Amino acid sequence: MLAYQEIAQPTTLWPEPMELIWQVLGPETDLVLRWKRPDIGLADRLFIGAVVNLPREGRPWGAITWLAEIYLTSRETIYEIGRQVRQALLGCGQAEPPPLMIEMLSVPDNLTEGPVIRVSDHRLKRTILSLLLPGGASLRAIQDCLEVSLDTSRSIGYLSEFINEAGQRAGKVLDKVDYSPLGKVILARDETYFNDLAFLVAVEPHSYVLLAGQVEQQCDSDTWAVSLALEQSRDGLQIVGLSEDAALFYEPSLKKTADLLTTEFSVQTQKDIWHLQFKGATVLRTLERQALGQLQRAEKLANAPGLQDDKRVDDWLAAELKAEAMLELSAQFRFWYGCVCDSLELVDWRSGEIRDTTINQWLLDECMQALSAFDHPSIKAWLTYIKNQYDQLFTYLDWLEVGLDAWLQQAYRQLSPVDVPFFERLTARAWRLQRAVINGHRSFGPASQRALALLDAIIADDPTLRSLAQSLMTILEQTIRTSCAAETVNSIIKSYLRTKRSFQSRQTAQNWFNLFRLWFCMHPFKRSHKRQGQSPFQLAGIKVFTPEGEETDDWMAALGYPADA
């Protein structure tokens, strides 16, 4: 099945070795450096140089952009660091890296034949569905795989009709699913576009159950109102909150949803903080890129012949002053950008204090006041973006307060009033530092280990304390601040849509989306550190049945295509 492995692999996997190498690079806080970015140490610069100086045909696509996002800098800065490393090692900035050498592996001739498998109708259909999801193969690629692996062929028309029919079956299966185990939910919503169609996505972030899955001709407040009304009307399911980005049509869709339901539809909305932080990081890279341009211009004027001329000296001084001003502006903005990110925190990693709305709003107000003094268009645009979402940036703290109040009542029954605040901060700090390490901030590793070791020492032989610590960590973990769950599912959908040229109609697109929803909700996670081995439906406690009424975890069996006995 080598052909299946080559064609049906996921289309957006990042090359793990490069990220793993980056993860093991240690912090270099003790070095005294003379670079403009002292936070990018020697090990990081050597790593950047190694990636940048890979041959173009051997360097993974998107590697430079990934490095720029990881180190909060511009692509130009990444290329400049790579040039400096190459010049330092080879002594010539124009030297090209050696070509990539690949050793070809030979296949032995004495391979024994495997068992003969009968190609039944169900096996053929399950193979087609597997090549489609999770394989991501196009119709012509599916044809080639069937001919090579099963020694059979099917026409494009047959494959199209079968996938369309399977999508209709998937829609019926999803309509019969009982979502009541979810109960009250907070949905993360987003949309993606393909040709002239809009795919609406609404995900329950804890289990990743993909609830909404409509395909519309356009995306606006009306289409989202219909989608929300459909989900709210499901038996046993109640939407109590939404997590979303700053799209303008989201707010009007809530009122229109209430009109469609002819009942009160009042939910709290949390604006996604990831987009806010990402746009701020983009502004920071823009400032650094402009500062680098000014430095290069000043260096070019300094090395130009005839510098003794008064006008050339004045031009060089002006360029040097502009470069210094841009460097100072980028440094100041980097500080305030960090303060804005701090104002959106759930737990203070230094003290372990669980934030409340008063503290975070005060800090964000101070940051906005400081940012308003900068006269750079990119900073002004980012400040306007923050102001437009200000009222809905801290809803997550209201959701946290509900669970935290119940936990505090339990904690005060188990511990003395003096010990509760200490235990709360100790546990919260350990959770926050652990999350930082999981998210790739390797410099927090030693602090995280110390905090976890201290917490383990305190709760080692006390099941009551261990239960309290685990409950608080679960509450913090399940507090929703972003729409990243919908963004994640959205990116997976896009990876499969890239293999398609078009859909015949909106209905055929809806049938394909039904197949995707059923597969996604029933396939077990393979890489998640907490969800590995379980599907979204299993995590949520949702059951799916075959056409014969038997419970199953096989999405193809739920469609009526069980595996051969």
Side-chain angles (χ1 to χ4, degrees):
M1 296 299 288
L2 181 59
Y4 171 80
Q5 293 175 357
E6 293 179 349
I7 296 174
Q9 62 185 354
T11 56
T12 58
L13 287 182
W14 186 255
E16 290 188 4
M18 191 165 72
E19 184 165 354
L20 288 176
I21 293 172
W22 172 75
Q23 289 279 0
V24 300
L25 294 179
E28 298 173 315
T29 56
D30 298 333
L31 293 179
V32 180
L33 305 175
R34 57 180 178 82
W35 298 311
K36 297 294 184 182
R37 285 290 301 272
D39 55 306
I40 302 179
L42 179 60
D44 290 323
R45 289 173 181 268
L46 291 175
F47 171 66
I48 292 172
V51 175
V52 171
N53 289 290
L54 284 173
R56 287 187 178 273
E57 62 271 18
R59 187 170 67 205
W61 184 86
I64 304 301
T65 301
W66 179 76
L67 287 171
E69 292 177 354
I70 288 298
Y71 290 100
L72 283 179
T73 186
S74 62
R75 288 166 53 90
E76 287 80 359
T77 301
I78 296 297
Y79 280 118
E80 178 65 15
I81 293 175
R83 184 191 67 79
Q84 292 175 0
V85 171
R86 184 170 67 249
Q87 185 177 16
L89 293 177
L90 300 180
C92 177
Q94 302 300 324
E96 291 294 331
L100 181 67
M101 302 300 294
I102 301 178
E103 181 180 359
M104 302 301 293
L105 299 177
S106 59
V107 180
D109 298 329
N110 56 348
L111 291 177
T112 58
E113 294 185 0
V116 178
I117 299 176
R118 182 176 63 89
V119 183
S120 63
D121 183 61
H122 278 181
R123 181 177 293 276
L124 176 64
K125 292 180 177 179
R126 288 174 66 90
T127 302
I128 294 172
L129 290 175
S130 297
L131 290 170
L132 183 69
L133 295 165
S138 63
L139 295 181
R140 298 191 184 278
I142 293 176
Q143 277 187 310
D144 294 339
C145 290
L146 294 178
E147 291 178 0
V148 172
S149 60
L150 301 180
D151 197 20
T152 186
S153 61
R154 291 295 184 272
S155 67
I156 296 294
Y158 171 85
L159 296 177
S160 299
E161 290 182 4
F162 168 67
I163 293 173
N164 197 47
E165 177 191 354
Q168 293 176 352
R169 292 191 180 191
K172 295 177 180 178
V173 172
L174 290 169
D175 288 340
K176 295 179 181 178
V177 170
D178 180 14
Y179 292 97
S180 59
L182 289 174
K184 296 181 179 180
V185 298
I186 298 173
L187 289 185
R189 60 170 170 170
D190 194 21
E191 60 279 327
T192 190
Y193 299 91
F194 180 75
N195 292 345
D196 296 329
L197 299 174
F199 292 73
L200 307 187
V201 177
V203 183
E204 199 283 312
H206 298 150
S207 62
Y208 271 72
V209 171
L210 179 54
L211 285 170
Q214 287 77 33
V215 179
E216 302 290 347
Q217 296 289 354
Q218 60 184 3
C219 183
D220 53 22
S221 58
D222 292 328
T223 54
W224 264 116
V226 172
S227 178
L228 291 177
L230 288 173
E231 303 308 319
Q232 185 73 353
S233 61
R234 293 182 186 271
D235 292 338
L237 185 67
Q238 182 181 357
I239 302 174
V240 297
L242 293 170
S243 181
E244 60 197 27
D245 57 31
L248 297 178
F249 47 75
Y250 281 151
E251 192 68 26
S253 69
L254 300 180
K255 184 178 182 304
K256 293 181 179 181
T257 302
D259 295 339
L260 290 173
L261 294 172
T262 64
T263 58
E264 184 180 357
F265 182 73
S266 177
V267 297
Q268 289 182 301
T269 300
Q270 168 64 43
K271 289 300 182 181
D272 183 271
I273 66 170
W274 180 86
H275 283 86
L276 187 150
Q277 294 174 344
F278 179 78
K279 289 180 181 295
T282 303
V283 174
L284 181 57
R285 288 193 293 269
T286 299
L287 295 177
E288 289 196 348
R289 184 168 56 248
Q290 293 176 357
L292 180 62
Q294 294 291 347
L295 283 172
Q296 291 175 343
R297 182 173 180 272
E299 183 179 359
K300 184 177 180 181
L301 290 173
N303 296 330
L307 185 62
Q308 295 78 12
D309 183 69
D310 291 341
K311 186 177 183 306
R312 288 183 178 271
V313 172
D314 292 340
D315 292 342
W316 170 73
L317 286 175
E320 189 73 18
L321 290 175
K322 283 185 178 180
E324 293 296 333
M326 284 302 302
L327 286 172
E328 179 64 22
L329 178 61
S330 64
Q332 292 182 16
F333 180 78
R334 186 182 300 111
F335 170 77
W336 288 111
Y337 168 72
C339 292
V340 170
C341 294
D342 193 21
S343 71
L344 301 173
E345 283 286 356
L346 191 64
V347 175
D348 191 323
W349 66 269
R350 296 160 290 247
S351 65
E353 178 186 8
I354 298 178
R355 297 288 183 82
D356 58 28
T357 306
T358 303
I359 294 175
N360 281 12
Q361 280 187 344
W362 169 82
L363 183 54
L364 183 59
D365 290 340
E366 293 294 319
C367 296
M368 293 172 64
Q369 183 177 356
L371 290 172
S372 62
F374 296 112
D375 193 26
H376 193 279
S378 297
I379 298 178
K380 288 184 176 181
W382 188 55
L383 185 58
T384 302
Y385 183 82
I386 297 175
K387 290 179 179 178
N388 292 338
Q389 305 177 75
Y390 181 87
D391 294 335
Q392 296 173 318
L393 282 176
F394 302 109
T395 308
Y396 68 93
L397 293 172
D398 297 333
W399 295 336
L400 172 64
E401 187 177 355
V402 175
L404 194 59
D405 287 344
W407 181 87
L408 286 173
Q409 292 177 11
Q410 182 182 4
Y412 277 112
R413 287 195 297 266
Q414 304 290 342
L415 303 175
S416 67
V418 178
D419 294 335
V420 170
F422 167 76
F423 185 76
E424 175 189 328
R425 292 195 177 194
L426 177 66
T427 305
R429 184 171 184 270
W431 171 84
R432 176 64 182 86
L433 293 173
Q434 186 182 37
R435 291 306 307 170
V437 174
I438 292 174
N439 291 332
H441 299 282
R442 57 196 183 279
S443 60
F444 286 94
S448 175
Q449 293 175 3
R450 290 192 298 269
L452 288 172
L454 179 58
L455 180 62
D456 287 339
I458 291 177
I459 66 177
D461 300 324
D462 193 330
T464 300
L465 292 180
R466 184 172 295 276
S467 176
L468 281 176
Q470 187 59 49
S471 299
L472 181 56
M473 287 187 174
T474 301
I475 292 171
L476 295 173
E477 186 74 24
Q478 294 184 350
T479 301
I480 299 170
R481 297 186 296 160
T482 70
S483 60
C484 289
E487 297 281 354
T488 300
V489 177
N490 205 352
S491 65
I492 298 174
I493 296 172
K494 288 180 180 178
S495 68
Y496 287 103
L497 289 176
R498 290 192 188 101
T499 63
K500 294 188 168 293
R501 298 179 62 184
S502 63
F503 289 102
Q504 186 178 10
S505 64
R506 188 183 71 85
Q507 186 58 50
T508 57
Q510 182 65 65
N511 291 335
W512 177 88
F513 202 19
N514 292 340
L515 269 181
F516 177 86
R517 285 180 60 201
L518 184 63
W519 164 77
F520 183 83
C521 290
M522 295 190 67
H523 88 287
F525 293 104
K526 296 182 179 180
R527 285 160 51 94
S528 173
H529 70 286
K530 286 189 174 181
R531 303 179 179 91
Q532 188 172 0
Q534 291 185 292
S535 69
F537 275 171
Q538 288 174 331
L539 290 169
I542 295 175
K543 298 180 180 180
V544 180
F545 301 90
T546 65
E548 293 76 23
E550 298 179 359
E551 184 179 345
T552 181
D553 293 329
D554 184 353
W555 72 283
M556 290 179 283
L559 292 175
Y561 310 120
D564 293 336

